[in-house]
Amino acid sequence: VSQNGDALQFAADELRADREVVLAAVSQDAFALTHAADELRADREVVLAAVSQNGDALQVAADELRADREVVLAAVSQDGCALTYAADELRADREVVLAAVSQDGCALTYAADELRADREVVLAAVSQHGRALCSAADELRADREVVLAAVSQNGDALQFAADELRADREVVLAAVSQDAFALTHAADELRADREVDRP
């Protein structure tokens, strides 16, 4: 299992319940956790080893560890979208969500509504992945600074901006400079503007 963690699936039950064997397996392949005995999927050290190797392994951890702040922070620091497997209270934890969106802006999708309306969290998300703007609260899709950060990272994010910002010349220019095809999401009057059409 230290060469191929997934080989744990073929091991006898007593080996799948052996802490040392399972630790070796999950250190090589985090998803070997799937084949571990239930008590080891609830073992904090084993799960920390797995999620540090691949944050998505959080999905097969015991429920109590999906509610463990340190375990979830380790998982989302490795893969921000592992936030989807975290307990609800941690999806509403600002520090956990900031760690997740800093690793992968798209993790904003899995954050609690109040954090999708938190300007700092959304700025961190769209700076990492502009299209995360689609998961932001409406008022932040109308926030010029947030939208500029999003379209500067990914021009295509313009499609998720509030109408008034899709008609804002500076915002559209920033989007088109990053991705010429973003012009398709601009307001009609700017799509017809020769200066915007040829940045």
Side-chain angles (χ1 to χ4, degrees):
V1 294
S2 57
Q3 299 290 315
N4 179 356
D6 195 44
L8 186 63
Q9 69 180 305
F10 305 111
D13 289 347
E14 61 270 13
L15 291 176
R16 293 205 261 164
D18 183 300
R19 195 167 190 274
E20 192 176 322
V21 170
V22 172
L23 266 171
V26 300
S27 295
Q28 197 284 320
D29 179 349
F31 279 98
L33 187 60
T34 305
H35 309 296
D38 289 346
E39 63 269 14
L40 291 177
R41 289 178 28 198
D43 181 298
R44 198 164 190 276
E45 184 184 354
V46 170
V47 172
L48 269 170
V51 300
S52 296
Q53 203 265 339
N54 184 330
D56 269 351
L58 186 61
Q59 68 185 290
V60 295
D63 289 346
E64 62 268 20
L65 291 177
R66 294 202 273 161
D68 181 301
R69 196 166 192 275
E70 183 185 354
V71 170
V72 172
L73 269 170
V76 301
S77 295
Q78 198 286 321
D79 180 345
C81 287
L83 186 63
T84 191
Y85 307 115
D88 290 346
E89 63 270 17
L90 291 177
R91 291 167 61 168
D93 181 304
R94 195 166 191 276
E95 183 185 350
V96 169
V97 172
L98 269 171
V101 300
S102 295
Q103 198 286 323
D104 184 340
C106 291
L108 186 62
T109 301
Y110 309 113
D113 290 346
E114 63 269 18
L115 291 176
R116 291 173 37 193
D118 180 303
R119 194 167 191 277
E120 183 185 352
V121 170
V122 172
L123 266 171
V126 301
S127 296
Q128 199 286 324
H129 196 301
R131 288 180 58 93
L133 186 62
C134 71
S135 298
D138 290 344
E139 64 269 18
L140 291 175
R141 290 178 183 208
D143 181 303
R144 196 165 193 277
E145 183 185 354
V146 169
V147 172
L148 272 169
V151 301
S152 296
Q153 198 286 323
N154 184 329
D156 193 49
L158 184 61
Q159 68 183 300
F160 306 114
D163 290 345
E164 64 270 16
L165 292 176
R166 291 192 292 132
D168 180 302
R169 184 182 190 80
E170 184 185 351
V171 170
V172 172
L173 278 170
V176 170
S177 294
Q178 200 287 321
D179 179 354
F181 290 107
L183 188 59
T184 61
H185 306 299
D188 291 343
E189 63 271 16
L190 288 178
R191 285 203 306 262
D193 184 319
R194 284 186 150 302
E195 282 182 43
V196 173
D197 191 19
R198 301 179 201 339

